[in-house]
Amino acid sequence: NNLVRSLFLTDPVKFAFEIYDSGVDDKYTEFIIINEGYLMFYRKFNPITAILYAEKETTAEKLLTSIREDTFILFIEPKWRYLLNFPNAKTYPEVLMMCKSPLVLGREGVRGLTVNDAEEILKLYGEERGNTLIQMIRENKTTAYGLFLDDNLVSAAYTLVETKDVAVIGGVLTSEEFRNKGFASSVVSSLTENIVKKGKVASLYVREDNIPAIHVYAKIGFKEHSRRLWVSVNTEVKPL
């Protein structure tokens, strides 16, 4: 649909997932388009995700009632919060932040991750997420950075999607015993530097109530771009 595609180009940061999923991963992607709005389902992972966009209340209502799934994660703009009435839903407000010129906070022990780091990646992220990340590295679909202490990977982050204009950072994780030492700041800032050197804007989502993380990202040079709600319906999956 050309209307939807031209909408995406008005804000490549906000619509990065839609641009990527409908272009690169279109076999897992399905659109329901009503008037000026859409629902985009992404079925590659479990639970499935749905992004809802609407300018008018009537469109948002129609799109919400067209969801047939029982278990899913919905991303929706905060202005439509009052329309949500899914039973057994938990809502997490998130801030989308973006950065065009990062300040790198400490480089010691930080480097790019490759498939040769598979064992360490599995140790940090666990079986499921670790294997997903290793596969993405193997297929050249992500840029991943980590911080090593004595050859042990203790903190890492990677890009969830990369379009020609934007790279969305996610999977920011530090081993429990090494938290609050600034390691994630080092990793995210180096990853952001790499993204910006490639001529892209770096972005990331952070929970609105995660004030310490928001401060750290602001220090690196991230600024608020927009907000969304993460709505988990019949699933315990929530933003980190």
Side-chain angles (χ1 to χ4, degrees):
N1 184 308
N2 289 339
L3 265 176
V4 170
R5 289 200 193 288
S6 50
L7 169 70
F8 295 164
L9 298 176
T10 62
D11 193 340
V13 175
K14 179 178 173 175
F15 297 117
F17 282 103
E18 286 94 325
I19 292 168
Y20 184 87
D21 294 344
S22 63
V24 177
D25 255 354
D26 62 326
K27 66 172 179 285
Y28 301 107
T29 307
E30 174 204 340
F31 279 90
I32 293 175
I33 295 173
I34 297 176
N35 304 330
E36 83 298 342
Y38 62 83
L39 256 175
M40 185 189 87
F41 291 100
Y42 184 63
R43 301 182 186 279
K44 187 172 186 176
F45 301 112
N46 210 4
I48 65 162
T49 55
I51 301 176
L52 187 149
Y53 175 84
E55 283 165 30
K56 300 190 186 95
E57 181 184 355
T58 49
T59 306
E61 282 178 320
K62 282 178 188 162
L63 288 166
L64 284 168
T65 53
S66 71
I67 300 175
R68 296 280 169 261
E69 277 71 16
D70 292 324
T71 304
F72 57 92
I73 295 166
L74 172 69
F75 299 105
I76 189 168
E77 288 179 287
K79 66 180 176 186
W80 304 128
R81 187 178 195 140
Y82 68 96
L83 296 174
L84 298 172
N85 59 357
F86 298 105
N88 203 9
K90 294 190 182 74
T91 301
Y92 307 95
E94 291 187 300
V95 181
L96 172 59
M97 303 182 81
M98 61 176 277
C99 178
K100 291 178 179 176
S101 54
L103 170 71
V104 177
L105 307 172
R107 295 178 189 273
E108 203 174 334
V110 179
R111 64 167 173 80
L113 299 178
T114 70
V115 283
N116 299 333
D117 300 307
E119 204 178 310
E120 286 300 315
I121 289 169
L122 289 170
K123 261 194 257 175
L124 179 64
Y125 283 104
E127 196 77 12
E128 199 179 339
R129 284 183 71 195
N131 278 318
T132 302
L133 174 54
I134 293 160
Q135 186 67 22
M136 286 168 75
I137 294 172
R138 193 171 281 129
E139 292 172 3
N140 211 10
K141 284 187 174 164
T142 186
T143 308
Y145 268 69
L147 188 146
F148 289 82
L149 280 184
D150 309 322
D151 295 331
N152 296 312
L153 178 62
V154 297
S155 185
Y158 55 93
T159 56
L160 301 171
V161 299
E162 294 192 32
T163 67
K164 71 175 182 46
D165 303 303
V166 181
V168 186
I169 295 170
V172 182
L173 186 63
T174 302
S175 300
E176 217 149 311
E177 64 271 35
F178 296 105
R179 287 182 187 164
N180 304 315
K181 296 182 189 296
F183 292 164
S185 314
S186 299
V187 171
V188 171
S189 61
S190 286
L191 175 54
T192 304
E193 179 186 52
N194 175 291
I195 291 164
V196 169
K197 277 184 176 164
K198 288 192 276 196
K200 302 182 191 215
V201 173
S203 73
L204 50 79
Y205 285 92
V206 58
R207 272 171 66 162
E208 206 177 75
D209 59 4
N210 191 348
I211 305 300
I214 290 172
H215 282 315
V216 167
Y217 296 143
K219 210 161 121 186
I220 294 168
F222 282 86
K223 293 177 174 58
E224 181 175 328
H225 178 73
S226 54
R227 294 189 176 218
R228 73 174 184 185
L229 301 177
W230 166 313
V231 185
S232 293
V233 181
N234 286 313
T235 170
E236 292 305 311
V237 179
K238 60 182 181 187
L240 292 172

